[in-house]
Amino acid sequence: MVARAFLPVIRPMRPADLALVEGVEARAYDYPWSINIFRDCLRMGYECWVQLATERVVGHCVLAMGPGEAHVLNLAIDPDWHNRGLGRALLERLLTRAEELGAESVFLEVRPSNAPAVHLYRATGFRRVGRRRDYYPAEDGREDALVLRYTLREVAPAGR
């Protein structure tokens, strides 16, 4: 599919979007989340967003909040829509929401083999803070995850 000029829109994910979200997820990843995982994320009140282009869902993201921090659980763009700034726009939406909701840091895991995602996260300001061994399923067994952190605001050490 060739993308024409479009007006990108990011809006909260709705239950009616789930089949389309699942389709994007299946095109974006070899080991996609199921529709039930997305349904549970909505039910639990996670920050779930969709990226629209030409009035159709072409991407999505999920953010979980915890005390003082947020965790990007999922971010995907349909491969037909890569390299148009849509992933960056979704990531920036998540960072803005995390800050609005009081997070000091945002964490995520990414496959080292997913070079475009690693590049996006590093270019946005995420820094590596760890590695999770055998985190992701892979064709030949398991793949590690890089753990990255984005600092929204510096916090003074306790006692100062």
Side-chain angles (χ1 to χ4, degrees):
M1 176 181 116
V2 176
R4 297 177 299 276
F6 64 94
L7 177 63
V9 173
I10 298 173
R11 66 160 171 76
M13 188 184 295
R14 304 172 187 149
D17 297 323
L18 291 177
L20 298 171
V21 167
E22 182 184 40
V24 169
E25 182 79 0
R27 287 186 296 283
Y29 294 120
D30 291 335
Y31 300 93
W33 281 15
S34 71
I35 195 169
N36 288 330
I37 294 173
F38 288 105
R39 186 175 288 117
D40 286 346
C41 289
L42 284 173
R43 185 177 53 78
M44 295 300 295
Y46 292 169
E47 290 285 319
C48 301
W49 298 84
V50 291
Q51 172 75 64
L52 304 176
T54 63
E55 300 180 20
R56 66 181 268 244
V57 173
V58 298
H60 56 268
C61 57
V62 178
L63 182 77
M65 294 297 301
E69 66 183 50
H71 197 122
V72 177
L73 301 178
N74 190 306
L75 192 151
I77 298 294
D78 187 309
D80 290 343
W81 288 85
H82 282 184
N83 301 312
R84 290 178 176 82
L86 301 176
R88 182 178 304 277
L90 277 175
L91 184 59
E92 288 173 359
R93 172 61 55 96
L94 291 183
L95 294 175
T96 298
R97 285 298 293 153
E99 188 167 32
E100 290 170 354
L101 294 169
E104 297 159 0
S105 296
V106 178
F107 293 88
L108 60 80
E109 288 86 16
V110 63
R111 290 176 185 267
S113 63
N114 188 346
V118 171
H119 175 76
L120 169 64
Y121 298 140
R122 288 197 170 143
T124 303
F126 279 83
R127 298 293 171 249
R128 181 178 168 182
V129 294
R131 185 179 203 92
R132 295 189 197 280
R133 298 275 175 218
D134 299 329
Y135 187 78
Y136 290 111
E139 189 174 312
D140 60 349
R142 306 291 297 177
E143 182 177 359
D144 292 353
L146 301 177
V147 180
L148 306 180
R149 180 181 69 211
Y150 182 91
T151 302
L152 291 164
R153 61 180 146 254
E154 294 293 331
V155 178
R160 291 197 182 175

